[in-house]
Amino acid sequence: MVSADGNNLSEVFEKSNSLSETAVTSTFITAVFDQAHARACPKGDRFVAPVVGGDDIRIFLPPEHVLDYITDLANALDELAFGVPIDDLGAGLRKVISTRGIGVGIGALVAPYHYPVSRLLSITHALEDSAKANCLRKGVRSAVDLRLIRSGQELGQGVDVDSEDTPTAIALSSDDWSRFLGRARALVAVPSSQRSMLIPRGASPDDPVRASSFRYQVARHEAWRKWFETCEIDWRDPVELARNLPTPQLVDVAGLIEMRHRESAS
């Protein structure tokens, strides 16, 4: 499930000087999010979007489409908000409102098919709030917070959310997100058993015991060494290694990329 909500819209509406301008602004915002969502949806009918209205989006879709949907939604909103004309709203619209600050907070949760929908909704909305908090705190337009819960983890796994002390959301600027996805793709080459063993959920990145254990595993396993080299990180430097430990989110996204590869192969 993906849950998304617009950012910075209060600033857009504050520019309206009358009820009619507010109505035009509302119509425009709805059109921007509708069009961005339509561009991001997977082709065919393998998704259900029970809520798409205004700046709110809720969509259920197969795991292999989640990363593409998030990426395409953020890119489409950027493109639409930065001046691509929307034909059916009239040429004078952009004299009324400015949309350059529009962004989106996105929460995404991938869970087994029998996971309770009520729980799915609750967690995904909390992840959306986490992403929006990250945008406010770091001054970015858009961000995503996402989790992957594998079969067998449903009962014991809690979901940590973004905070000032333990940030978990990822900025969706093109450079940040592209770099993150590149590292996740490279991480797929590391055996999944190594990924899950070395990066426990909720572990502090400053934990010296964890850092020491990780250095030992990196020295033993060529796949880890290649991952750091692909990311242009000197794994022999303990300070650099400690600064660039793969996060739980990176591990989750690598898992989603594996799902997409398996689906494509089948």
Side-chain angles (χ1 to χ4, degrees):
M1 181 183 175
V2 174
S3 178
D5 185 58
N7 287 330
N8 305 320
L9 296 185
S10 60
E11 297 178 8
V12 175
F13 280 100
E14 284 172 0
K15 300 182 188 306
S16 299
N17 297 313
S18 67
L19 186 60
S20 60
E21 289 186 1
T22 299
V24 170
T25 300
S26 179
T27 300
F28 178 74
I29 294 300
T30 298
V32 166
F33 277 83
D34 281 351
Q35 290 192 28
H37 167 70
R39 291 187 191 183
C41 284
K43 305 306 179 186
D45 58 358
R46 295 194 65 204
F47 68 90
V48 177
V51 176
V52 178
D55 63 322
D56 288 317
I57 296 172
R58 306 288 183 276
I59 179 172
F60 297 87
L61 67 171
E64 62 269 18
H65 294 303
V66 168
L67 294 178
D68 286 340
Y69 179 85
I70 291 168
T71 303
D72 292 345
L73 180 68
N75 288 342
L77 282 172
D78 272 355
E79 184 181 342
L80 292 166
F82 273 82
V84 173
I86 298 180
D87 296 336
D88 59 353
L89 291 179
L93 177 66
R94 295 198 177 276
K95 296 179 182 178
V96 178
I97 60 175
S98 171
T99 60
R100 288 185 176 273
I102 288 180
V104 65
I106 302 175
L109 179 66
V110 176
Y113 70 92
H114 53 270
Y115 201 74
V117 173
S118 59
R119 181 68 173 148
L120 193 70
L121 286 164
S122 175
I123 294 175
T124 308
H125 185 65
L127 294 172
E128 174 199 297
D129 287 343
S130 163
K132 290 175 71 67
N134 181 80
C135 294
L136 181 63
R137 186 166 60 249
K138 295 185 178 180
V140 297
R141 285 201 314 278
S142 300
V144 61
D145 204 348
L146 71 165
R147 299 291 184 277
L148 170 60
I149 298 180
R150 296 167 178 83
S151 183
Q153 294 178 320
E154 304 96 322
L155 297 179
Q157 178 162 341
V159 174
D160 57 312
V161 294
D162 195 26
S163 71
E164 293 188 16
D165 296 328
T166 58
T168 58
I170 308 151
L172 281 170
S173 66
S174 57
D175 290 343
D176 289 344
W177 184 236
S178 295
R179 188 182 306 111
F180 183 89
L181 290 179
R183 290 189 171 194
R185 292 187 192 100
L187 192 59
V188 172
V190 177
S192 58
S193 59
Q194 278 281 307
R195 289 181 245 147
S196 60
M197 178 179 68
L198 292 173
I199 302 95
R201 176 80 60 190
S204 169
D206 299 322
D207 183 352
V209 175
R210 178 188 171 208
S212 177
S213 173
F214 194 82
R215 287 198 299 271
Y216 172 70
Q217 295 297 336
V218 170
R220 290 182 65 233
H221 292 275
E222 183 181 6
W224 274 124
R225 297 196 297 275
K226 286 186 175 180
W227 181 77
F228 279 100
E229 290 166 359
T230 298
C231 298
E232 299 182 345
I233 300 164
D234 184 1
W235 58 268
R236 299 174 184 83
D237 184 334
V239 175
E240 281 300 299
L241 187 144
R243 286 175 179 169
N244 292 280
L245 296 180
T247 64
Q249 283 70 35
L250 198 66
V251 174
D252 285 351
V253 171
L256 289 175
I257 292 171
E258 281 185 315
M259 289 182 184
R260 186 164 56 185
H261 288 171
R262 286 197 297 269
E263 180 68 19
S264 299
S266 62

